Amino acid sequence: MAAPRDRVAHLLRQLQRAACQCPSHSHTYSQAPGLSPSGKTTDYAFEMAVSNIRYGAGVTKEVGMDLQNMGAKNVCLMTDKNLSQLPPVQTVMDSFVKNGINFKVYDNVRVEPTDRSFLEAIEFARRGAFDAYVAMGGGSTIDTCKAANLYASSPDSDFLDYVNAPIGKGKPVTVPLKPLIAVPTTSGTGSETTGVAIFDYERLKVKTGIASRAIKPTLGLIDPLHTLYMPERVIANSGFDVLCHALESYTALPYHMRSPCPANPISRPAYQGGNPISDIWAVHALRIVAKYLKRAVRNPDDLEARSNMHLASAFAGIGFGNAGVHLCHGMSYPISGLVKTYKAKDYNVDHPLVPHGLSVVLTSPAVFTFTAQMSPEHHLEMAEILGADTRTARIPDAGPVLADTLRKFLFDLDVDDGLAAIGYSKADIPALVKGTLPQERVTKLAPRPQSEEDLSALFEASMKLY
């Protein structure tokens, strides 16, 4: 009879041979499960974490009842100055009043938040001693509210304790948080489904964030009526975020190739790598984007298109919130953080701004040309979903075919002609690369490793799109 140790080794070999060998998860271009080059073992599991979601036109009216059901007595409503003047916020407050909910409003959320704007919201939350939160707005508002809830629930923590390494300490969240209901008014970030909060770290002029399943909203109320208040460029740029969430999570390094394997499940990152469940959400979201984004942008009264984009945002959020994103997002953070004078159309802000979705999508043709050699079938599948005729395409054509499809898609939607059109030049590339290097939380999920020279070439290739 075999010794127990031999028996265990035999079982492990059997399990490895039985692992999924489908094209999504049998990538031969990366290390096999086992030892990584660093000597640490790769992961062997993934975890599906997502907020509860409720969808329906007019569902926002239920928020007061939800809080009442939770036993909330003192609620913080977070939003931004622009939205606070619009009917969606009034709908929430009417529901509060109707259901006897005491609340205070914080409407000083910054579009594209910074560490400073996070800290101001955190201070408001700490002073208010709230027992529940409602975040109404786009990703900026929902992310700000996640941070306020976290640090108000952990008052002795330093701000950098929970911020992603290497900028912060990346400590796991072990404190209990208060209930948070997210009511998204844009169709882009998917923040109502995820445990991620992104901000500009002003000292380094770069975006980073907090990533933990513990900070995901308790409930997301997805009410498509709110999307009717989105201007043309806001719906377009929000849609580009959905597009890249889907593309990046579907091409991310598979979960069983990611290292290190956590010693404790609390240390398993929110962004775990591609997996069979996230793939389903990513592909479905991409199909909706292909069918409805152009309609949603071109006709503000097209409720069917805007409703579907609102759902696509949540679908892609479920996908990338568990699989992660990679180079488009990693490179976007310095593009947003180092903005000079560019002010995007349809955004009522008093500071230079490259909207997040725009900063992400401008590098997408270059990025997917670069990554295509690692999973060409996935890249061709995405190109086909977006309208390309791939019947005669060969495997080596995958990158150029997807890149050309993306360029046409962006051109049809009047997207600025590359990084040069939003104020960058070749002289800015070293700073853009420097700002990308700390984004290892996402860049290491790219299916193809990249050097500083590779990043420089990708930024250079993104200076002009057409």
Side-chain angles (χ1 to χ4, degrees):
M1 183 175 178
R5 184 179 300 173
D6 294 338
R7 173 68 175 158
V8 169
H10 174 68
L11 286 171
L12 285 172
R13 283 194 297 272
Q14 282 189 313
L15 281 170
Q16 187 167 321
R17 280 197 294 270
C20 180
Q21 295 300 311
C22 71
S24 298
H25 304 110
S26 60
H27 301 261
T28 56
Y29 53 82
S30 188
Q31 69 267 23
L35 289 179
S36 69
S38 65
K40 297 177 182 176
T41 55
T42 54
D43 211 339
Y44 64 95
F46 68 92
E47 180 174 334
M48 195 66 193
V50 64
S51 307
N52 289 339
I53 295 297
R54 188 183 304 147
Y55 174 87
V59 75
T60 305
K61 294 176 182 176
E62 297 182 357
V63 67
M65 287 182 279
D66 287 315
L67 292 165
Q68 196 177 66
N69 293 339
M70 293 173 181
K73 306 294 185 188
N74 182 28
V75 175
C76 174
L77 170 60
M78 283 203 175
T79 188
D80 64 53
K81 285 276 195 298
N82 294 326
L83 198 59
S84 66
Q85 309 301 316
L86 294 176
V89 169
Q90 190 61 51
T91 300
V92 169
M93 293 193 293
D94 288 346
S95 183
F96 287 172
V97 172
K98 183 178 179 180
N99 291 280
I101 302 297
N102 293 316
F103 67 96
K104 291 181 181 174
V105 177
Y106 182 83
D107 64 359
N108 205 31
V109 168
R110 188 182 194 272
V111 178
E112 302 298 335
T114 65
D115 51 330
R116 186 183 310 169
S117 72
F118 265 21
L119 287 166
E120 290 171 359
I122 290 164
E123 180 58 29
F124 182 88
R126 284 175 171 166
R127 286 199 313 268
F130 302 107
D131 58 9
Y133 295 83
V134 174
M136 180 151 213
S140 296
T141 296
I142 299 171
D143 287 5
T144 299
C145 200
K146 290 173 184 175
N149 187 12
L150 171 60
Y151 288 96
S153 302
S154 185
D156 297 328
S157 295
D158 180 74
F159 181 69
L160 289 178
D161 281 353
Y162 297 121
V163 173
N164 298 324
I167 291 170
K169 298 176 183 176
K171 289 184 177 180
V173 177
T174 57
V175 296
L177 272 62
K178 306 300 184 188
L180 191 166
I181 299 177
V183 189
T185 58
T186 62
S187 45
T189 67
S191 186
E192 69 276 8
T193 71
T194 73
V196 179
I198 301 297
F199 65 94
D200 279 306
Y201 189 56
E202 292 184 300
R203 191 179 309 170
L204 297 179
K205 292 187 179 298
V206 71
K207 267 184 163 49
T208 183
I210 302 159
S212 169
R213 294 177 188 86
I215 69 171
K216 72 181 188 299
T218 313
L219 172 66
L221 295 179
I222 303 176
D223 187 339
L225 296 180
H226 300 325
T227 65
L228 297 176
Y229 297 94
M230 295 171 67
E232 175 193 312
R233 283 296 96 189
V234 176
I235 194 86
N237 291 326
S238 299
F240 298 146
D241 202 17
V242 179
L243 171 67
C244 287
H245 285 157
L247 294 171
E248 290 172 74
S249 61
Y250 194 46
T251 55
L253 188 75
Y255 75 94
H256 55 77
M257 307 291 185
R258 184 189 50 75
S259 62
C261 180
N264 185 309
I266 199 173
S267 301
R268 181 168 283 116
Y271 287 179
Q272 305 160 92
N275 61 76
I277 298 179
S278 65
D279 286 352
I280 293 170
W281 293 100
V283 169
H284 190 55
L286 191 63
R287 293 188 189 282
I288 297 174
V289 169
K291 184 174 181 179
Y292 289 108
L293 178 56
K294 291 179 184 179
R295 278 176 51 183
V297 171
R298 290 168 180 164
N299 183 1
D301 298 321
D302 190 337
L303 184 58
E304 180 189 359
R306 292 200 167 197
S307 298
N308 275 281
M309 284 305 302
H310 214 31
L311 264 183
S313 175
F315 292 167
I318 295 168
F320 92 86
N322 289 278
V325 287
H326 54 80
L327 284 175
C328 292
H329 272 74
M331 294 169 66
S332 80
Y333 297 145
I335 293 170
S336 293
L338 295 169
V339 60
K340 299 173 184 178
T341 59
Y342 183 83
K343 286 190 177 181
K345 181 187 173 189
D346 290 342
Y347 288 78
N348 184 18
V349 294
D350 59 2
H351 53 273
L353 173 71
V354 180
H356 174 63
L358 180 61
S359 71
V360 169
V361 83
L362 288 176
T363 62
S364 61
V367 163
F368 293 108
T369 300
F370 176 77
T371 59
Q373 63 182 257
M374 300 312 199
S375 53
E377 296 87 355
H378 274 193
H379 288 66
L380 286 173
E381 181 183 355
M382 293 186 297
E384 184 177 17
I385 291 171
L386 290 171
D389 183 352
T390 60
R391 287 173 296 181
T392 60
R394 300 171 304 151
I395 290 299
D397 299 330
V401 168
L402 179 55
D404 287 344
T405 305
L406 286 167
R407 287 190 193 95
K408 183 179 186 307
F409 194 81
L410 300 182
F411 183 81
D412 287 349
L413 285 168
D414 300 318
V415 174
D416 301 79
D417 189 8
L419 297 179
I422 62 169
Y424 290 104
S425 69
K426 288 184 180 180
D428 297 307
I429 290 177
L432 291 167
V433 171
K434 183 180 178 183
T436 305
L437 294 177
Q439 310 302 334
E440 291 184 353
R441 178 182 66 93
V442 292
T443 56
K444 283 195 171 181
L445 287 171
R448 180 179 173 186
Q450 65 285 161
S451 64
E452 290 187 38
E453 290 74 20
D454 291 329
L455 292 173
S456 294
L458 290 172
F459 279 116
E460 185 168 354
S462 303
M463 283 293 162
K464 189 170 176 62
L465 288 182
Y466 313 122

